[in-house]
Structure formats: C-alpha cells, structure tokens
Amino acid sequence: MTGDIEEVAHRYTLYTAIGAIVIAAVWHTGYDLTVTITGWESFRWPLLAAAAWIAYTAIGVVAALSLLRTFTGPARARESAVAVLVLDVAVIVACRPQDLIGPIDWGWGSVGWLGVMLLWNRPRWRAEAIAFLSANAGIMLVAMIATGTVDRVSLAKYLMVIVGSVTLQLGYMAGCHTLRVRAEDAALLARRLAADDAWRESAQRIHADRLRRYEAIREVAESMLKQLADGADPGDSRVRDDCTAGAMRLRRLITEREEVPDELVSALREHIDAAERRQVLVTAPPFGERLPALPDGVREDLLRAPVAALDGARTRARVTVSAMSAMVSVAVVADNDDLPVNPAPVREPSGVVVTYQRQGGEVWVNSIWQAP
C-alpha cells in the first residue's frame, strides 16, 4: 500500500512537470513560431526575432531536461531567467512601434511559460515567479511608454494579456505545487501507518514469543520437580542427565532476548526446542538483537545444512549465530553420524558458503553469507 501511494506521489510530481513542458512547447511552436513566420515581412529586424526564437527554444530544452531528471528547474535558473528577459527585449526591438501590441510581438506573452519551467519547484518559487513576471510586465510597459503606445486600446490589450497570462502561469504553478504537497503528505502518512503496523506486528510477535518461553520454562521446571517429587534418586545417572538437560534448557530460555530478532532466529529456535524435547543437550548463547536484511533465498540456504546437523544430533549440540552489518554466520556442532559431509566448501546459488568438518564423533557445519 505504501509503495502504491508513493508511486502516486511520484506520478503527480512527474506529470505536473511534464504539463509545464507541454504547455510551453505547444505555445512556443504553435503560436510563437507561426507568427514569426507569417509576420516575417512585418518585423523591423526579422533575423533578430528568429534568433530570439531559437535562443528561447535552447533555454526551454535545458529547462525541460532538468525538469524530467530532477523535477525542478536548472541549477542556474536565475541567470537563465535574466537571459529570457533579454530575449523579451530582443523581440520588442525587432518589432516596429506600431506592431508593439500586435500578434508578432510574441515575447512578452510567451516568456512567462518559460519562466514557469525555469523556476519550477524551487525553494522560493513564489517570490521568484512574481519577480520574473513583474519584470516582464514592466519591460513591456516601459517599451509602450517609450514608443508612445499608450492609447486606451493599447493599454486595454496590454492589461488583458498581462492579467490573463500571469493568472494562468501563477495559477498553474500554485495548483501543481498544492497537488505535489498533498501527494507527498499522503505518502508520508502511509509510511507512518506502515511503521505503526510493523510496530504492532512486532509487539504481537514479542508477546507470543514471551508466552512461548514462559510455557516452555514451566514445562521444564514442572517435569524436573515432578520427577524429584515422585521419588527419583538424584544419584541415578539417568536422573542427573535429565536434570542437566533441563537446567541447560532453562538457562537458554531465561537468557533469550525479549525481542524477536529475525525470522532466521525464530526458525532456528523451533529446531532447538525440538532437539531439546528429544533430550538433546543444546548449548545456544543468546543471539544478537538485530540481523541485517537478507535477500531472497539466503535465509533458507543459511539454515538448511546447520538445521540438518541439529535435527540429527543424538545427545548434544552447540548452536551459534554471528552477524555483522554485511555478514551472517550460522554454525552447529553436533554428535551427528548420519549427516553427509562434503570435504570442499559448498557455494549455494544465493551466495551462501557451507563448510563441513568431521572430527571424532562430531560434525561441524558452518554456513556464511556475505553481502556482495
């Protein structure tokens, strides 16, 4: 569930950025390029207008690549924004005064969308976007005053274009920002809920493990005390062996940690309990509190050979688990005569290396996994 919500948040971030790119690209090619070509003869300096269009395109490509890679504007966004305003001035200069408010002066109505891409998702995007759009509006107003284009109709067109474009550009940025923030909040909430669920599940496992140990301790103590209460002779070697096995099991159960460290340790404890019920004397020092995360298949390969040695033990066994940040080792020494022993280390497909050694009536099995 958490992954699905985070994927939705990622999609909001990606597709809102793509939306900004698409709007700027369609506007620049569909309108700016069209009026540049159709109004070529109307420009005072058409080559300057064409150069401005090409430079605008180059800056737009840089901004688009940055948005697709990092979901934010390029690193030198402010410098690029100043360059865009220079292009705005270039288009104004390329037009004749009577065409300043005409269709061919595409710069002042279009550069705002490029500014949206450059300032996208930056820490101070609101202040920077307002400053950029205000500078664009100011440049156009100064040009109108300088050329005497301040009649009522021209001012009405100016206000209509400025208010319309600024509303659309700031509105799009603010709306997309809100969508991204809400999606990120939802992903954060999902992670917190997942952490709460994991903690709750861990608490339940700890409680179940604690009850298991209490029950096992009670059974061991009850069995020992019942034998003695029924008149068993403490000097009998069989009674002494039973008491020794019971004492070792009690010591192991009491020293076990309250936490449930890992599925590997939990599975190993089940086999230790089964061996002790067969009257096998099992020595098992307390296992570590936390083992590193294991890839798929590693846990099974780590346990297979040591568990086989433990399950076949006749009277005694010793189990140890060692771990570091990138290594886990499971070892068993047992009086097991039936376990096949390979003289050479065996490498499992998961990367686990199993080593066997037989000496006298005991077999030593050690499986080790190391992170690549």
Side-chain angles (χ1 to χ4, degrees):
M1 178 179 176
T2 303
D4 293 340
I5 294 176
E6 291 185 347
E7 178 63 23
V8 171
H10 173 75
R11 289 178 180 176
Y12 272 116
T13 303
L14 174 62
Y15 290 124
T16 52
I18 291 176
I21 296 171
V22 170
I23 292 172
V26 170
W27 188 279
H28 188 52
T29 55
Y31 180 79
D32 301 345
L33 180 60
T34 301
V35 298
T36 300
I37 295 174
T38 57
W40 188 264
E41 298 299 330
S42 301
F43 283 106
R44 179 167 47 183
W45 291 309
L47 291 178
L48 179 59
W53 189 93
I54 294 172
Y56 181 114
T57 304
I59 296 174
V61 170
V62 172
L65 292 176
S66 178
L67 287 183
L68 294 176
R69 286 196 304 264
T70 65
F71 309 124
T72 188
R76 303 181 69 86
R78 293 183 179 179
E79 292 81 353
S80 299
V82 172
V84 170
L85 293 175
V86 172
L87 297 180
D88 185 11
V89 174
V91 177
I92 292 173
V93 172
C95 296
R96 293 185 173 90
Q98 62 269 24
D99 294 320
L100 198 61
I101 300 294
I104 65 171
D105 187 8
W106 53 264
W108 65 295
S110 178
V111 294
W113 288 112
L114 188 51
V116 168
M117 293 173 59
L118 293 172
L119 305 175
W120 188 263
N121 208 22
R122 285 170 57 85
R124 300 183 60 190
W125 67 269
R126 289 184 182 86
E128 291 174 341
I130 291 172
F132 177 83
L133 295 174
S134 299
N136 177 46
I139 289 171
M140 186 58 185
L141 184 60
V142 170
M144 291 174 62
I145 295 172
T147 58
T149 314
V150 289
D151 58 277
R152 186 171 57 185
V153 175
S154 298
L155 289 175
K157 290 182 179 179
Y158 167 80
L159 291 174
M160 181 182 67
V161 174
I162 287 296
V163 172
S165 60
V166 168
T167 301
L168 288 173
Q169 291 150 7
L170 284 181
Y172 185 79
M173 293 184 77
C176 292
H177 177 75
T178 301
L179 285 175
R180 292 195 306 271
V181 170
R182 294 295 178 267
E184 290 168 0
D185 289 345
L188 179 60
L189 178 60
R191 285 195 292 268
R192 289 177 178 173
L193 291 175
D196 291 342
D197 290 341
W199 179 86
R200 190 178 301 107
E201 181 181 353
S202 177
Q204 292 173 350
R205 292 178 61 194
I206 291 172
H207 180 65
D209 188 63
R210 186 182 296 120
L211 293 178
R212 177 193 64 81
R213 290 201 307 276
Y214 290 166
E215 181 64 21
I217 291 171
R218 186 189 66 79
E219 289 179 358
V220 172
E222 183 180 22
S223 175
M224 293 171 56
L225 294 175
K226 190 174 184 300
Q227 286 189 55
L228 295 175
D230 290 344
D233 182 9
D236 188 338
S237 60
R238 187 171 181 178
V239 174
R240 289 201 303 271
D241 290 343
D242 289 345
C243 289
T244 301
M248 292 182 65
R249 189 178 183 194
L250 277 175
R251 183 164 57 249
R252 181 182 66 81
L253 292 169
I254 291 172
T255 56
E256 278 184 1
R257 304 295 180 121
E258 287 291 328
E259 294 78 17
V260 181
D262 186 84
E263 292 182 11
L264 182 145
V265 172
S266 299
L268 199 55
R269 283 176 177 171
E270 292 179 2
H271 289 274
I272 292 174
D273 290 340
E276 288 176 333
R277 284 193 291 271
R278 293 187 289 105
Q279 303 301 312
V280 176
L281 302 180
V282 180
T283 303
F287 301 130
E289 294 183 3
R290 186 178 298 275
L291 302 182
L294 300 176
D296 294 339
V298 171
R299 183 180 298 107
E300 292 77 8
D301 289 343
L302 277 171
L303 288 175
R304 187 178 298 110
V307 162
L310 177 61
D311 290 345
R314 292 182 291 104
T315 62
R316 63 186 181 275
R318 179 176 178 84
V319 181
T320 56
V321 176
S322 305
M324 293 188 297
S325 59
M327 185 278 291
V328 177
S329 170
V330 180
V332 170
V333 179
D335 55 350
N336 185 328
D337 299 326
D338 302 325
L339 183 71
V341 173
N342 196 320
V346 178
R347 178 175 291 276
E348 302 289 351
S350 62
V352 173
V353 178
V354 183
T355 305
Y356 300 86
Q357 185 175 346
R358 186 179 292 281
Q359 185 173 1
E362 292 185 333
V363 63
W364 173 73
V365 181
N366 185 29
S367 58
I368 299 178
W369 171 81
Q370 289 183 320

